[in-house]
Each structure stands twice: as C-alpha cells, then as structure tokens.
Amino acid sequence: MEHRVFIYDAYVRNGDSVVVAQRLFRRHFNVGRHGPVPTRKTIVKWVQQFRATGSVIKKSAGAQRTVRTEDNIERVRAAVLRSPQRSARRHSLELHLGRESVRRILKDIHFHAYKMVGVQQLLGTDYAQREDFAVRMQVLLHDEPDALIFMSDEAHFHLNGFVNRQNFRYWAHDNPRELHERPLHSPRVTVWCAMSRCYVIGPYFFEEDGVTVTVNSIRYTHMINTFLRPELQMLNLEQDVWFQQDGATAHTARISMNALRRLFPGHLISRLGDVPWPPRSPDLSMCDFFLWGFLKERVYRDKPRTLDELKRAIRREVQQINQETLERVWGSFTCRLENCIRANGHHLKDIIFN
C-alpha cells in the first residue's frame, strides 16, 4: 500500500513521469542501483486503477457461488445419506455437479471420508460358535488362571515383500516410464510359530532340501513330533499345556489330530478338539492379529535379498520378542474374548476402531 501511494503521488507531482517516479522511489526506499523497482507497466496500471476506482488496491467482487447453492447442498446431503459408500466422483456424475464442488460441499456440511476396514466374512452359524468359544475360554482361564495356552499358525513370507502401489511413485521432470517388475511366483518361505503369554516356539520352516514345500498332514505331523515336542521338553512344558490351531485341513486330518491328542491330552483347542475353535476367526488368534504383521513390518526393513537372509531375519526378530510384548498381546487376547461376548460373536468393532 505504501509503495503504491508513493508511486502515484510522485508520478502526478512530476508531470506524469514514470522515470522520475522510479528515481524518487529508489531514493526514498533506499533501493540500490540494481534493486527492484516498479516497472513502467506496473506504474501505469496503478495510476489508471486509482483514477478509475479511487483506490490503489483492486477490490475483488468475490467469487459468485454458482454451484454451492442451498439447493445443491441439500441434494448432495440427501445423496450421501442415501448411498454413503458411493464415491464423491460417482455422486458428482449422478448429480451433474463438478467433482471438486461436491467435495467442497461435503466439507462444508462436515462429512468426512472414512476408510472401511477389511475383515473376515462371517457366516450365520459363526456368531454362536465364536461367542461359545469366548465363554468357554473365559471359564477355562477362571478355573485355571495359570494355564499356558500356545496359539499356532503358519504364514508365507515372500522374498520381494509387498509393494504399496498407492504410494509407489517416481518423481521426475518427465515420465521415465519406469516399470516395477515382479515375478509371477515370488520365492517364499512358509513359517510356523506358536506363541503364549510367556514363550514363542519357532520359527519352523516347512522345506525339504532347502526348498519350500506345501503344508500337508504328513509334514505337519512330522513338525509336531520332531520340532514341537522337543521344544516343549526343552522348556519343561510337557504337561498341562493347551494348544490351539485353526481348522486348516492339514491341521485337522486324522494323523495330525492323533499326534496332537497324544501330546496335549484333553488340552486341544481346534476344530474337532476338546475346545472347538470357531471358523473364520483370525481376530481371536494371537498369531493372526499380532505376530505375522509384527514380524513382517520388521523383517522387510533390511530388504533381504536371498531366502537365507529372509530366514535369518525371521529368526532374529522372533528371538527379540520380549516378555513385556507377550504380556501385552495376551492382554489383547483376553480383551477380545470380552468384546466377542458383548458383541454376541459379531466382529470386534470396539477393538478394530479403537
């Protein structure tokens, strides 16, 4: 404002001379010889603006709200309430409004885009089984407060990890047409672990001659007899230990169940076990809701290049799980049991959206 007023006054007082106005501006504001001063075009524009409006500052009339009218706002509100899962782009097409206009209206009426959480689909018969399992486990923990329960599972660890394509970008002036090549079948290892509130047993890798193999009942039984049993003996945990597994075919085959019943008589949590494991319930398994995500987050930090490096990283990270972490995971499991009962076997929304 001060610069514009000075320029106009110097211009008028000196016979409409742009050069004199520039020289006086440089002297008054102590601008060096090569410092910036208003150009001839700028000075003429300021002068014409003042003579036309009586002000050196251009007054904006403000953008006219041609789209965000009360009628359109109500139309957007009704459309979103009617179809809350439809995207803003689809709403804009249906309402014949610009996409950005729809987004601004949604912001004005305080609507937010919340991400949906993917969960395992439950069938109609699952709810009662999940609630019954949670009740039986609470009774078990009440009657045997020192009971040691091992929860087990397998997972695949791929050598190339996973690429988040939503955040995968290549910044450059021009498009380098960069491709991210991934093999159709990435080398991987299949890992088995069992964890309790005190110990983690594993990892055990299902492989033959260094090559990853599919888990079947024979290989699973071999793991029980040659790996799990010696590990329990080494920990002096051969009695009064409960063992949980999911309902995978390799787990519940006759040969597998016979081996487990001999090792854990009367203490087997499984489909067809002493305490039935509810189907489609990874949210109740410590391996599923904690262990695999925890390990993968750490294993891939160093970007292992070979399967041997990948296996070493998995062993290292499993060994570094401390007692405090195990206690927290156990606390989360008991909390999930309570939430499952309150939700009558439905999804644990209090846990998911906490």
Side-chain angles (χ1 to χ4, degrees):
M1 173 69 80
E2 183 182 1
H3 291 177
R4 295 182 183 213
V5 171
F6 182 88
I7 283 289
Y8 177 79
D9 186 62
Y11 179 84
V12 173
R13 287 177 179 274
N14 293 277
D16 295 350
S17 172
V18 170
V19 175
V20 174
Q22 289 174 325
R23 185 182 302 124
L24 293 173
F25 180 92
R26 191 184 302 277
R27 184 184 307 162
H28 180 79
F29 292 103
N30 195 26
V31 179
R33 183 174 181 179
H34 300 291
V37 297
T39 64
R40 171 180 293 274
K41 183 177 180 180
T42 299
I43 292 174
V44 171
K45 183 181 71 173
W46 287 351
V47 171
Q48 291 175 347
Q49 183 177 305
F50 179 80
R51 289 173 175 170
T53 65
S55 172
V56 292
I57 301 298
K58 184 177 180 179
K59 296 181 180 179
S60 175
Q64 299 296 318
R65 288 197 172 191
T66 57
V67 175
R68 289 154 64 193
T69 62
E70 292 298 326
D71 179 58
N72 284 340
I73 289 174
E74 290 306 314
R75 290 174 61 213
V76 171
R77 188 197 308 273
V80 172
L81 291 176
R82 183 172 59 252
S83 303
Q85 296 183 358
R86 182 174 294 173
S87 66
R89 181 180 65 85
R90 295 293 301 274
H91 281 301
S92 68
L93 292 174
E94 178 188 349
L95 299 172
H96 303 290
L97 298 173
R99 189 186 309 179
E100 289 304 315
S101 296
V102 170
R103 293 185 183 277
R104 292 193 186 100
I105 291 174
L106 290 172
K107 184 177 180 180
D108 290 344
I109 60 179
H110 306 294
F111 274 60
H112 305 281
Y114 295 101
K115 288 186 177 180
M116 290 186 289
V117 179
V119 293
Q120 178 77 54
Q121 181 183 15
L122 296 176
L123 304 182
T125 57
D126 293 341
Y127 306 121
Q129 295 181 62
R130 284 164 55 85
E131 184 178 6
D132 179 67
F133 168 77
V135 170
R136 295 183 65 167
M137 289 303 299
Q138 284 198 331
V139 172
L140 169 63
L141 296 176
H142 179 269
D143 295 341
E144 302 179 36
D146 296 326
L148 193 60
I149 301 173
F150 277 96
M151 308 193 84
S152 68
D153 198 12
E154 303 97 17
H156 299 305
F157 283 70
H158 292 258
L159 184 59
N160 63 347
F162 297 92
V163 175
N164 182 349
R165 285 176 289 182
Q166 291 294 334
N167 296 326
F168 191 55
R169 298 290 184 267
Y170 191 106
W171 293 92
H173 287 292
D174 301 309
N175 187 351
R177 304 177 70 83
E178 189 78 9
L179 298 177
H180 179 74
E181 292 188 354
R182 300 180 63 190
L184 178 60
H185 301 291
S186 169
R188 69 183 187 184
V189 295
T190 301
V191 186
W192 177 92
C193 283
M195 66 181 304
S196 69
R197 65 187 303 176
C198 301
Y199 306 99
V200 178
I201 296 179
Y204 176 88
F205 298 99
F206 283 95
E207 57 187 8
E208 294 178 359
D209 299 325
V211 178
T212 299
V213 294
T214 304
V215 181
N216 58 28
S217 59
I218 296 176
R219 291 168 180 150
Y220 187 68
T221 304
H222 177 76
M223 182 275 297
I224 294 169
N225 294 326
T226 63
F227 179 76
L228 178 57
R229 184 186 295 273
E231 288 289 320
L232 293 172
Q233 291 172 348
M234 186 174 63
L235 295 172
N236 295 319
L237 298 175
E238 297 180 72
Q239 296 180 351
D240 298 327
V241 173
W242 287 82
F243 180 81
Q244 177 273 339
Q245 63 176 6
D246 62 24
T249 303
H251 299 171
T252 57
R254 182 176 301 175
I255 184 175
S256 304
M257 294 296 289
N258 289 339
L260 289 170
R261 288 193 179 101
R262 287 193 298 269
L263 187 57
F264 306 102
H267 288 67
L268 182 58
I269 303 171
S270 169
R271 186 172 69 88
L272 308 176
D274 303 293
V275 175
W277 174 256
R280 291 168 286 277
S281 297
D283 53 344
L284 298 177
S285 167
M286 292 193 291
C287 291
D288 280 307
F289 72 72
F290 165 74
L291 182 62
W292 302 133
F294 176 85
L295 289 179
K296 288 181 179 181
E297 180 183 355
R298 285 158 175 75
V299 163
Y300 291 119
R301 284 178 179 174
D302 297 331
K303 299 180 180 179
R305 298 178 179 274
T306 66
L307 290 180
D308 286 337
E309 290 182 6
L310 179 60
K311 288 190 286 188
R312 283 197 297 270
I314 294 171
R315 291 190 184 98
R316 181 186 67 244
E317 296 301 334
V318 169
Q319 291 173 359
Q320 292 180 358
I321 299 176
N322 56 37
Q323 184 63 43
E324 181 182 356
T325 300
L326 293 176
E327 289 288 350
R328 287 203 306 269
V329 177
W330 178 257
S332 177
F333 170 67
T334 57
C335 181
R336 287 166 183 262
L337 294 178
E338 296 174 2
N339 274 268
C340 185
I341 295 172
R342 286 202 301 268
N344 300 120
H346 289 69
H347 289 296
L348 313 180
K349 292 185 179 181
D350 291 343
I351 299 290
I352 295 172
F353 297 107
N354 185 8

